[in-house]
Amino acid sequence: MSIDAFHRCTGVAAAMLRPNIDTDAIIPSREMKRVSKVGLGEGLFAGERYLAAETREPSPDFVLNQPEYRDCCILLAGPNFGCGSSREHAVWALKEFGIRAIVAPSFGAIFANNCVRNGLLPVTLAQAQVEDVADWVLDAPANNHVTIDLDLQRLVAGAISVTFEVDAGARQMLLNGLDAIALTQTRWNQIADFDRKRRESHPWLYQQESSMP
Amino acid sequence: MASTLFDKLWNEHLIERQDDHTDLIYIDRIFLHERTGSIALESLEADGRQVFCPEQVFCCMDHIVDTYPGRGDDTTMPSGRDFIVATRSAVAEAGITLFDLGDPRQGIVHVVSPEQGIVQPGVTLVCPDSHTCTQGAFGALAWGIGSSEAEHALVTKSLRVQRPRTMRVRFEGALSPAVSAKDMVLYLIAAFGASGGSGYAIEFAGPAVEALDMEARMTLCNMAVEFSAFTGIIAPDDTTFSYLRGRPYSPTGDALAQAENYWRSLRSDPDAQFGRELVIDCADIEPSVTWGTSPEHCVPISAAVPLSVGSDDPARERALRYMGLAPGQRLSGLAIEAAFIGSCTNARLSDLRAAAKVLRGRRVADGLRAICVPGSMQVRAAAEAEGLDRVFIDAGFEWRESGCSMCFYAGGEHFGYEQRVISTTNRNFESRQGPRTRTHLASPVTVAVSALRGCITDPRDFL
Ligand code: SF4
């Protein structure tokens, strides 16, 4: 399995700054129609993006429906973005829509992990910094492009230039488009060794079911 | 050095350090369900990968199965059948134990695992479901993951995990009558915010936690994720051990003695240091109810919607608009169209008993839709053995088979446009229980008394 590497992305950023945007909002469960990781982009933010789920008539108020955000690849978000359900469909839908990076003061933990596993970069910045970037973008959304550089760990938006922290392991995976499973399989001897020892020290965990109802 | 319960669990499973923040952690048990398990297993197969240790992997049919009596593979959720059929064949192929429709053990994953004794103190357990933290109540390190991570755990029996910080939340004193574990956790989230636990593994402790039975402890840990915590855990004690004895997957004989001996060593050392400590006086906790669309939008049931909602707070304004409420409006007395008792938060036998106690010999308000969905078929059978099904049915409740049901809306059954529902579930997000459905979270007893009156009601009125 191959994952898109992430080095740098420059483009239109859209702001959805309210706190606690949950994964039910990012992709409602009713949009997860098939046993599949694809075909989810259309369901992204379906609850607020369409006037009615059935007709798919776009809601003019929703930021990503506005023409200047057509090529949006960066989301500027509020605290605790991606909280709630573990559904990885939220990340698959964002990616399919074209989002490459999300900038927020904090993320739901499972969601942030899911992002990294799929080559989508979660950037954590202080709330005031996210708001400053959003303000600058809002002056001319189609032209005021934001750049996020993972090699340099830097976000640039006009006169704003800030560095951000990324966990070293996540950074390596994103930069190299690494598949975490393949990476871990290089540690196979250590895992097998651990497994063997655990079977000796905690034998009860490996007992089979003692009685069937 | 003195260690916390979390440190002990973590270090026990540390295969090796990957970098300053990330460790490779051994995973003892994996659970799947039909909503995401089928995708994970099919993706593995497409990549030519195999499940490393299928006898430690379990799968529940719970999320999109119907809960109508006499149900089959067909569900009201569009394409639901595809998920059920795909899961069944993928787990059979992989050699994974399935708690299928028609199996008397079927139910919601976080209810079934403890019931079967699959979660035990000292294990790591993961599931592609955010409420896996429920099972931390057993002194296990249990947390929710995404599908890709589930694939990783299935293939390598390990996960790369960023080590969370530690927090202890101590509940001092004792709970007042009609106040339950649900009210404790809602109080915590209201006091410290829905992201208050972000980055932390939280140990729930203190006399009020020690006094809870296992089912109530699960309710408390269940909502750790609504506090944005990595997980919630509770030190295993005699309450835990006696719950586990005699369960199908629990150790027996000499192995049990050996296990219990080990389990006793897991509690936090008396002088262990936590990254953060919160203390809550249980005397301050009242029956609680949410008014908005985040679990932090919560107040004591005797209170009103907070006034401090202004133009400076668009999120709260949006929540009020969604809920059809105004600042200063009283919650008690607010008319409801439906009541729901179900979910991995509050649908175990003790929850059903608490609700049945007030429902016995009474009828729900005219025109109110009331539904009870037991957390598992075993809960259902145990409830029927003591006649609780009659109490619910005579009171006007639908008595369902087990599953997640209307805890979440997947395109099938729902409560309806702008219907106001009082619910024992864990999420009041926009459209969680149906398109524009307005959810108020509360404890089982609060839901039951509200169903009787047809409006949000303080359970203390019934004492
Ligand atoms: S009952 Fe609700 S919260 Fe629990 S696992 Fe099912 S859908 Fe998730």
Side-chain angles (χ1 to χ4, degrees), chain A residues 22 24 29 32-33 37 80 84-85 88 110 114 167 169 179 184 187 194-195 198 202 205-206 210, chain B residues 13 16 19 22 26 28-29 35 43 49 56 79 146-148 151-152 160 228 248 408-409 427 432:
Chain A
D22 55 79
D24 278 65
S29 191
M32 296 152 51
K33 292 182 188 120
K37 301 180 179 182
N80 212 18
S85 159
E88 199 158 318
I110 305 172
N114 289 343
D167 172 58
D179 167 7
T184 299
R187 317 310 300 157
F194 191 99
D195 184 66
R198 190 153 176 85
H202 298 69
L205 290 177
Y206 304 88
S210 57
Chain B
H13 293 87
E16 59 179 18
D19 60 47
T22 311
Y26 181 84
D28 290 308
R29 306 265 198 263
R35 187 63 161 150
S43 167
R49 287 170 166 155
Q56 307 285 351
S79 73
S147 301
S148 297
E151 292 178 38
H152 188 289
R160 298 168 172 272
S228 300
F408 82 122
Y409 170 61
R427 288 192 174 138
R432 171 78 178 178

Side-chain angles (χ1 to χ4, degrees), chain B residues 283-305:
Chain B
D284 296 337
I285 308 178
E286 291 181 50
S288 301
V289 66
T290 62
W291 55 263
T293 54
S294 160
E296 74 181 26
H297 296 154
C298 179
V299 288
I301 199 160
S302 56
V305 175

Side-chain angles (χ1 to χ4, degrees), chain A residues 1 18-20 22-25 28-37 47-48 79-80 83-89 92 106-110 113-114 117-118 167-170 173 179-188 190-192 194-195 198-213, chain B residues 12-16 19 21-22 24 26 28-29 35-36 38-39 42-43 47 49 52-53 55-56 77 79 82-83 86 105 120 122-123 128-130 144-149 151-152 155-158 160 162 194-195 228 247-252 255 258-259 262-263 294 296 315 318 408-411 427 429 432:
Chain A
M1 185 174 130
R18 66 176 197 272
N20 301 319
D22 55 79
T23 51
D24 278 65
S29 191
R30 64 171 184 277
E31 298 289 341
M32 296 152 51
K33 292 182 188 120
R34 288 188 299 140
V35 185
S36 171
K37 301 180 179 182
E48 45 195 311
N80 212 18
C83 62
S85 159
S86 65
R87 61 186 68 161
E88 199 158 318
H89 305 69
W92 299 328
S106 60
F107 292 92
I110 305 172
N113 266 328
N114 289 343
R117 296 288 183 275
N118 289 279
D167 172 58
M173 285 211 298
D179 167 7
I181 297 179
L183 198 64
T184 299
Q185 281 174 326
T186 65
R187 317 310 300 157
W188 191 247
Q190 287 75 2
I191 296 169
F194 191 99
D195 184 66
R198 190 153 176 85
R199 283 169 193 272
E200 282 162 22
S201 59
H202 298 69
W204 65 88
L205 290 177
Y206 304 88
Q207 270 182 352
Q208 287 305 303
E209 185 186 14
S210 57
S211 62
M212 292 291 286
Chain B
E12 270 289 311
H13 293 87
L14 175 63
I15 299 170
E16 59 179 18
D19 60 47
H21 303 287
T22 311
L24 189 63
Y26 181 84
D28 290 308
R29 306 265 198 263
R35 187 63 161 150
T36 51
S38 47
I39 296 181
E42 288 192 358
S43 167
D47 293 339
R49 287 170 166 155
F52 174 39
C53 196
E55 62 280 13
Q56 307 285 351
M77 190 205 124
S79 73
D82 299 347
F83 286 83
R105 303 169 299 174
Q120 295 170 14
V123 303
D129 187 278
S130 57
I145 55 176
S147 301
S148 297
E149 289 201 289
E151 292 178 38
H152 188 289
V155 175
T156 69
K157 214 162 193 295
S158 69
R160 298 168 172 272
Q162 263 179 280
S195 55
S228 300
R247 307 238 164 220
Y249 286 85
S250 291
T252 52
Q258 192 187 358
Y262 164 68
W263 295 346
S294 160
E296 74 181 26
R318 179 187 167 110
F408 82 122
Y409 170 61
R427 288 192 174 138
F429 298 164
R432 171 78 178 178

